[in-house]
Amino acid sequence: MKNNWLWPVMAAGLFISACSTETGQEAAEDTQETATETTESSKTASTADSAAMELEVPFDGVMDHVHGMGYIEENGGLYFASHQGLKVHRDGQWTEIEDQYHDFMGFNATATGFVSSGHPDMQSDMQNPLGIKRSDDGGESFEDLGFEGETDFHEMAVGYNNGNLFVFNPQPNSEMDTGFHRSDDAGKTWQPTVAEGLDGKVTFLAMHPDDSMMIAAASNQGIFWSEDGGESFSRITEGELGTAAFFSEDALYYATYSDDAKLIKRSLSGDEQNIPLPDMTEDGVVYAAQHPENPEQLAIYTAKGHAWQTQDAGENWTQILNAGQVQ
């Protein structure tokens, strides 16, 4: 399996960044044109006065240490969670969320906003680490879902529509032992899960947008699937490094790497379809997302800091990041 180059890159910062042990000050110091259908343009125009978008200022720089990516339905933006806050790609333009430069980890976009963990920036009065925070106004304010000052969750899945959660807790805290836990009430209460059959170092978790019992995991042993809320998992790949996973309403999209990178759409009944990828040399997909209003609009982010979008399910791709530099 010719993937020895990829796992160290991922381990160095894309998935399991060492910043989980930084202090608040240390974390702070580490500091496309897209073709859209008329209906999509109308939708964007209707959200132009979104409160979340009022926080955005133009961004024309380099982002590094991306720890999550996803579309927020409410304002149509593709959000990247970076070491220096949130960067947004929308209608071929790049912006960032001003004055909110938290080091986001375990980031999950939702229909109305996002849920994340990580570390606060120097200007924040939040404790380090963040625990689990939810924002429905683009990061202007946060609802605390617990564990502030206790835990930085790197591996976390959130239901896009219902807000339920599935996490890996790296060490005991006030409510959890080490291991996998789920919340079926959007973070109010938690219960441990066995995760039987889930092998290897897990680097990414995904949850179905509505069915919280359906969970996927990517690890260095492949892609795994659960239909019982994480109590048990089945491996659905063989001989490949699992690098990314996300659920749409009707399918699991997952990425692997062996001799080359692959992105697969797997229906909930198990039928699989290969999604063509742009030309990549010794590079793999580490985050992928689908636009909630347009199932053929996909985005990918890679181990080398590149990002592309497609409007036609992979037939044509437009690069929007080149080694972290916005395009």
Side-chain angles (χ1 to χ4, degrees):
M1 202 167 25
K2 299 177 181 178
N3 57 28
N4 291 338
W5 67 272
L6 181 59
W7 185 251
V9 172
M10 293 163 59
L14 290 173
F15 276 129
I16 46 179
S17 169
C19 70
S20 62
T21 60
E22 294 172 357
T23 66
Q25 181 162 347
E26 287 170 336
E29 290 174 348
D30 282 343
T31 55
Q32 127 178 164
E33 292 288 329
T34 56
T36 55
E37 299 294 333
T38 302
T39 55
E40 287 301 305
S41 298
S42 299
K43 182 180 188 302
T44 300
S46 70
T47 60
D49 59 351
S50 162
M53 293 172 63
E54 292 177 2
L55 303 173
E56 298 175 19
V57 296
F59 176 68
D60 183 19
V62 175
M63 74 172 85
D64 58 10
H65 294 280
V66 171
H67 301 135
M69 178 189 75
Y71 290 96
I72 295 179
E73 183 174 12
E74 186 169 290
N75 62 50
L78 176 62
Y79 283 65
F80 292 78
S82 81
H83 213 43
Q84 297 89 29
L86 295 175
K87 317 304 180 186
V88 187
H89 186 267
R90 185 188 297 105
D91 298 334
Q93 303 296 317
W94 281 97
T95 59
E96 65 179 354
I97 309 303
E98 189 175 26
D99 298 329
Q100 292 283 6
Y101 299 113
H102 308 297
D103 179 13
F104 289 107
M105 304 291 296
F107 176 88
N108 280 253
T110 68
T112 57
F114 63 88
V115 177
S116 189
S117 191
H119 306 275
D121 71 20
M122 291 184 66
Q123 310 307 315
S124 173
D125 59 2
M126 291 187 288
Q127 298 180 60
N128 182 48
L130 292 175
I132 302 177
K133 295 288 190 290
R134 179 192 310 278
S135 179
D136 289 327
D137 55 15
E140 182 175 18
S141 64
F142 295 89
E143 175 188 358
D144 182 24
L145 300 185
F147 314 108
E148 184 176 349
E150 292 187 89
T151 305
D152 174 21
F153 294 91
H154 287 197
E155 293 80 41
M156 179 164 63
V158 181
Y160 190 81
N161 294 322
N162 59 30
N164 292 337
L165 298 104
F166 184 82
V167 306
F168 177 75
N169 182 38
Q171 58 188 17
N173 58 36
S174 58
E175 295 185 45
M176 302 174 178
D177 291 328
T178 300
F180 293 95
H181 297 257
R182 75 169 185 264
S183 174
D184 298 328
D185 52 15
K188 295 181 177 64
T189 61
W190 294 88
Q191 64 187 80
T193 63
V194 178
E196 182 179 356
L198 181 51
D199 295 329
K201 170 59 186 177
V202 174
T203 54
F204 197 79
L205 297 168
M207 178 183 284
H208 188 275
D210 298 302
D211 184 353
S212 304
M213 294 294 101
M214 197 172 297
I215 295 165
S219 88
N220 60 348
Q221 298 299 311
I223 302 293
F224 296 80
W225 175 298
S226 173
E227 295 184 346
D228 57 9
E231 293 296 331
S232 63
F233 285 83
S234 299
R235 190 197 311 266
I236 61 173
T237 62
E238 291 294 338
E240 295 176 307
L241 177 71
T243 62
F246 80 92
F247 280 100
S248 65
E249 295 282 353
D250 60 359
L252 169 68
Y253 290 77
Y254 68 83
T256 62
Y257 192 92
S258 180
D259 293 328
D260 54 16
K262 294 179 182 177
L263 180 62
I264 304 296
K265 178 182 179 181
R266 180 186 177 94
S267 73
L268 300 186
S269 62
D271 296 329
E272 293 195 341
Q273 169 189 347
N274 182 66
I275 304 296
L277 289 172
D279 290 336
M280 295 190 292
T281 302
E282 289 196 340
D283 200 5
V285 176
V286 294
Y287 297 112
Q290 180 190 56
H291 195 286
E293 299 295 323
N294 178 8
E296 292 199 340
Q297 182 174 330
L298 306 173
I300 59 172
Y301 179 84
T302 78
K304 291 187 175 181
H306 306 311
W308 283 269
Q309 277 188 327
T310 177
Q311 303 288 331
D312 51 17
E315 294 302 319
N316 297 280
W317 293 90
T318 299
Q319 191 167 14
I320 59 175
L321 274 179
N322 185 353
Q325 174 65 56
V326 301
Q327 301 295 289

